[in-house]
């Protein structure tokens, strides 16, 4: 079973989780990046990123060399923006072949409320089995992330 962890991360939280998850699952990593860069300040990120989510904008990704056909299974990671998954992940999921391979999903958020995001993304992931909600490291709740990652990867590893 060849596995790929695909993720987007603006401020490093999803990236940190993606690396831990990939290591535990012996998976490769693919970081999604948009052609148009996000602004540096958090206030501007909220305006631009929040606006993109609200308008359902699908940004252009920087082309990646990873061949999705080489993989049997995808674990997908996204920060929560405006209660939903990020536009870059929606851009990746335009590839229906890739969307079908996603069996597990991890979200990073400040508040941990991922219901709206999960509802929106689940529609695009017909084979999704396992999910976990992790918390930004600036928040108290993040101290449970490692235990949650352990449980998540154990469940994903069993197939
Ligand atoms: C544009 C934007 C919108 C956000 N909206 C939410 C939100 O609706 N709910 C929430 O809990 N956190 C929200 N956050 C916080 C991020 O989900 C959180 O900081 C996450 O850990 C970021 O992951 P990253 O470090 O991989 O980019 C938002 C952050 C940004 C930049």
């Amino acid at each position: 079973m060849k596995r790929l962890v695909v993720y987007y991360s603006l401020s490093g939280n999803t990236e940190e989780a993606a690396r831990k998850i990939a290591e535990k699952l012996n998976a490769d990593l693919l970081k999604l990046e948009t052609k148009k860069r996000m602004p540096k300040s958090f206030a501007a990120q909220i305006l631009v990123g929040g606006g993109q989510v609200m308008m359902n904008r699908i940004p252009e990704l920087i082309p990646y060399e990873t061949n999705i056909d080489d993989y049997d299974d995808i674990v997908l990671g996204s920060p929560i923006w405006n209660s939903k998954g990020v536009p870059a992940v929606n851009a990746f999921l335009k590839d229906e072949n890739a969307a079908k391979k996603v069996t597990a999903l991890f979200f990073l958020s400040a508040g941990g409320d991922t219901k709206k995001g999960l509802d929106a993304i689940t529609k695009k992931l017909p084979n999704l089995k396992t999910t976990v909600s992790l918390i930004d490291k600036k928040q108290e709740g993040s101290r449970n992330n490692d235990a949650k990652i352990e449980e998540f990867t154990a469940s994903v590893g069993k197939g």
Side-chain angles (χ1 to χ4, degrees), residues 77-139:
S78 175
I80 289 285
W81 283 4
N82 273 37
S83 305
K84 289 192 179 159
V86 293
V89 164
N90 291 330
F92 175 72
L93 293 177
K94 276 202 307 188
D95 175 353
E96 280 183 27
N97 176 43
K100 277 191 205 140
K101 291 189 180 192
V102 177
T103 61
L105 172 78
F106 58 103
F107 274 136
L108 259 293
S109 71
D113 182 6
T114 56
K115 190 184 175 322
K116 215 168 143 188
L118 204 53
D119 285 350
I121 209 165
T122 300
K123 291 186 198 124
K124 300 180 185 184
L125 306 176
N127 298 310
L128 183 65
K129 284 189 248 165
T130 317
T131 63
V132 69
S133 162
L134 305 170
I135 305 291
D136 189 287
K137 53 178 177 276
K138 290 197 283 296
Q139 310 294 328

Side-chain angles (χ1 to χ4, degrees), residues 1-6 21-30 66-76 101-104 129-130 152-159:
M1 156 84 77
K2 226 176 153 216
R3 201 172 258 134
L4 182 66
V5 174
V6 180
I21 289 166
E23 199 187 321
K24 285 184 191 293
L25 293 172
N26 203 10
D28 293 337
L29 276 167
L30 168 59
T66 306
N67 184 358
I68 300 300
D69 290 339
D70 291 345
Y71 294 89
D72 309 298
D73 187 66
I74 294 175
V75 177
L76 187 62
K101 291 189 180 192
V102 177
T103 61
K129 284 189 248 165
T130 317
F152 175 71
T153 50
S155 169
V156 173
K158 280 186 207 134

Side-chain angles (χ1 to χ4, degrees), residues 108 133-136 141-150:
L108 259 293
S133 162
L134 305 170
I135 305 291
D136 189 287
S142 64
R143 64 176 187 277
N144 298 324
N145 282 358
D146 282 345
K148 286 191 206 167
I149 286 175
E150 198 64 55

Side-chain angles (χ1 to χ4, degrees), residues 3-19:
R3 201 172 258 134
L4 182 66
V5 174
V6 180
Y7 68 98
Y8 174 87
S9 184
L10 187 58
S11 61
N13 287 274
T14 314
E15 177 148 285
E16 188 180 321
R19 289 186 183 281

